[in-house]
Amino acid sequence: MTDTIDEKPSSAPTTIDVSAKDRRRALMGSAVGSTIEWYDYFLYGTMATAIFNLHFFPSEDPVVSSMLAFASFALAFVVRPLGGVIFSHVGDRIGRKKTLVITLTLMGVATMLMGVLPDYAAIGVAAPILLTLLRLVQGLALGGEWGGGLLLAVEYAPKNKRGFYGSVPQIGALAGLALGNIVTIASRAVFPEEQFESFGWRIPFLLSGVLLVVGLWIRARIDETPSFRKVQAEGTKQKLPIATVLKHYWREVLISTGAKFVETSTFFIFATFSLSYATGLGYDFGAILGFVLVGSIIGIGGMLFFGGLSDRIGRKKVFLGGSVAVAIFIFPYLAMLSSGNLWLAGTALIVSFAIVWPIYGSLIGTVLAENFAPEIRYTGASLGYQIGAALVGGPAPLIATALLAGFGGSWIPVALFVVACALVSFIAVSFVKVRHNEELDV
């Protein structure tokens, strides 16, 4: 059975039938595409703590090197809202599918170029400049990718499974992190430490070319989403979606931005800052990556569980519960990480990715998508999401590193930063309308 569109006058509702096969194909395209995008994006964060700080941002003070590497990491988040505006405009005007092909290509090419970029010793100051420029391209691409990948899943979802479907593209964050760690750990195992730091680190970036071909092939086989085809059939496209969003949906954008705070800040505290902090305490970098890998893999199941749970009891309840949970958990998390005991630190990392972050990480996409009408959904959801990421997500490792250095190595200020982000999200999501088990497009 194939999708059909019953064309009617613009004043009448349009009926679109979607087959189970199309739903499965859309879910696969969303999951695989988002995994590849996040794999590319997170490689930078992983290498920032082990390679880029030494070879692209050298300094006599290792803290300065790390902060410079994290600053370049954070710059990508600054341009993510711009990427969200540019590509979501395209997505709301010409379609989700075409936009996703463009963003995936940009991300893949930028990542491969990082893998062949000469370091500071070879070309001097041009090395960190070019690396930062490629990082900015990654930020633009991800700014447009997230909204399209999310809508590919959510707009194909049955109304009683939208939370579950919406968790699938969010799995890409954990799956991409896990895949990046697998490739990095494998590269470190194949090459001695000196060779890994010299050229072995480049292999995970170059492998992005293979993933790019796979992702483009899968996405080429997917039809446009039912919601976008309905917009086309009913003639409700907006000439300038961003103007409509800012005029009529500014409250929803503020809510979405606030909701993003806890999800993005804690992810990059767990995934990026913790690597730098743990290695600075003397833990083996490979062992820490291994714990993150285990937590990420287990967390994929956690994401699906909490996404499905939100379909039964409501997304607001689950999300608010997760915000409270992480505000409590961050204190024992940092204490265990600081203990000097590898297994305590590893347990903290596993729990953070396997249980705590998935509670709200699985829902952020669906919560945001349900706030906006189909003709401006790509733009509205992307804008709130990317602004929130730019405000606290990208800067989170830098903020945490600065707090740690400014307070004599005490992790308490870092924990309080996370609590503040959780409080902002708790307040924001309290204003979200309950939409589970309702039709997405009304």
Side-chain angles (χ1 to χ4, degrees):
M1 179 179 179
T2 58
D3 292 354
T4 60
I5 300 179
D6 180 18
E7 301 225 12
K8 299 180 181 181
S10 59
S11 60
T14 301
T15 301
I16 298 178
D17 297 321
V18 182
S19 70
K21 180 180 179 181
D22 289 333
R23 295 190 198 276
R24 289 194 299 269
R25 185 175 291 174
L27 269 184
M28 178 178 290
S30 177
V32 172
S34 63
T35 297
I36 294 170
E37 290 273 2
W38 285 111
Y39 166 84
D40 290 348
Y41 198 72
F42 288 151
L43 268 181
Y44 192 102
T46 299
M47 296 303 177
T49 65
I51 299 297
F52 295 155
N53 58 335
L54 302 176
H55 295 284
F56 287 86
F57 303 96
S59 170
E60 294 181 359
D61 187 341
V63 174
V64 173
S65 292
S66 294
M67 291 187 69
L68 287 172
F70 283 148
S72 66
F73 175 82
L75 278 176
F77 289 80
V78 176
V79 300
R80 273 174 58 172
L82 177 60
V85 171
I86 294 171
F87 291 113
S88 62
H89 174 84
V90 178
D92 279 330
R93 291 289 300 166
I94 71 170
R96 297 20 171 161
K97 176 181 175 178
K98 296 182 180 68
T99 309
L100 289 172
V101 169
I102 297 171
T103 57
L104 186 61
T105 302
L106 276 176
M107 179 70 84
V109 171
T111 305
M112 285 188 293
L113 289 176
M114 286 181 180
V116 298
L117 187 64
D119 62 12
Y120 190 93
I123 60 174
V125 72
I129 292 174
L130 291 173
L131 181 65
T132 301
L133 287 175
L134 290 174
R135 181 61 177 168
L136 292 177
V137 173
Q138 284 189 325
L140 287 172
L142 190 65
E145 161 69 24
W146 177 83
L150 168 73
L151 298 188
L152 194 60
V154 170
E155 292 185 343
Y156 264 103
K159 66 178 182 180
N160 62 335
K161 293 184 178 180
R162 201 156 54 237
F164 178 84
Y165 271 59
S167 70
V168 171
Q170 290 300 106
I171 283 174
L174 290 181
L177 180 64
L179 183 60
N181 284 351
I182 288 173
V183 176
T184 302
I185 290 170
S187 297
R188 287 174 60 88
V190 170
F191 298 103
E193 187 70 23
E194 183 177 336
Q195 292 182 0
F196 175 79
E197 290 188 2
S198 175
F199 62 86
W201 67 268
R202 298 179 183 275
I203 292 176
F205 289 89
L206 296 176
L207 285 177
S208 178
V210 178
L211 298 176
L212 174 61
V213 173
V214 173
L216 291 176
W217 178 76
I218 291 174
R219 285 190 167 174
R221 302 172 67 238
I222 301 170
D223 290 329
E224 267 300 345
T225 70
S227 294
F228 183 75
R229 282 179 284 158
K230 182 178 179 181
V231 168
Q232 285 181 308
E234 296 181 352
T236 56
K237 286 185 186 179
Q238 303 293 299
K239 290 184 178 180
L240 194 59
I242 185 65
T244 303
V245 169
L246 294 177
K247 182 177 181 180
H248 299 291
Y249 290 87
W250 60 269
R251 292 180 183 83
E252 286 78 6
V253 171
L254 288 178
I255 290 172
S256 300
T257 300
K260 179 67 177 169
F261 269 45
V262 68
E263 183 265 353
T264 190
S265 63
T266 56
F267 190 94
F268 290 105
I269 290 292
F270 295 150
T272 303
F273 165 74
S274 293
L275 290 179
S276 175
Y277 182 48
T279 52
L281 292 174
Y283 295 110
D284 179 70
F285 181 70
I288 294 298
L289 278 184
F291 286 122
V292 172
L293 171 60
V294 172
S296 300
I297 293 173
I298 298 174
I300 291 173
M303 298 281 280
L304 296 174
F305 171 79
F306 287 112
L309 181 64
S310 77
D311 287 322
R312 297 191 294 274
I313 69 173
R315 278 169 268 293
K316 181 182 288 190
K317 292 179 182 178
V318 179
F319 199 109
L320 293 180
S323 298
V324 173
V326 77
I328 297 172
F329 172 73
I330 192 62
F331 290 94
Y333 171 81
L334 290 172
M336 292 169 73
L337 203 63
S338 305
S339 67
N341 184 302
L342 178 62
W343 291 104
L344 278 178
T347 300
L349 287 164
I350 291 173
V351 171
S352 68
F353 286 109
I355 301 174
V356 178
W357 187 82
I359 302 175
Y360 44 84
S362 62
L363 303 182
I364 185 69
T366 310
V367 168
L368 269 57
E370 290 178 334
N371 275 331
F372 299 95
E375 62 269 19
I376 49 84
R377 183 173 294 135
Y378 202 145
T379 300
S382 294
L383 188 61
Y385 183 96
Q386 303 302 348
I387 290 175
L391 290 175
V392 296
L398 182 60
I399 292 170
T401 301
L403 288 172
L404 202 65
F407 286 87
S410 171
W411 52 261
I412 296 295
V414 179
L416 294 177
F417 166 68
V418 171
V419 170
C421 291
L423 179 61
V424 170
S425 292
F426 187 94
I427 294 171
V429 175
S430 297
F431 291 95
V432 168
K433 295 179 182 178
V434 177
R435 292 288 310 280
H436 74 288
N437 290 332
E438 291 184 5
E439 294 293 343
L440 182 61
D441 303 325
V442 292

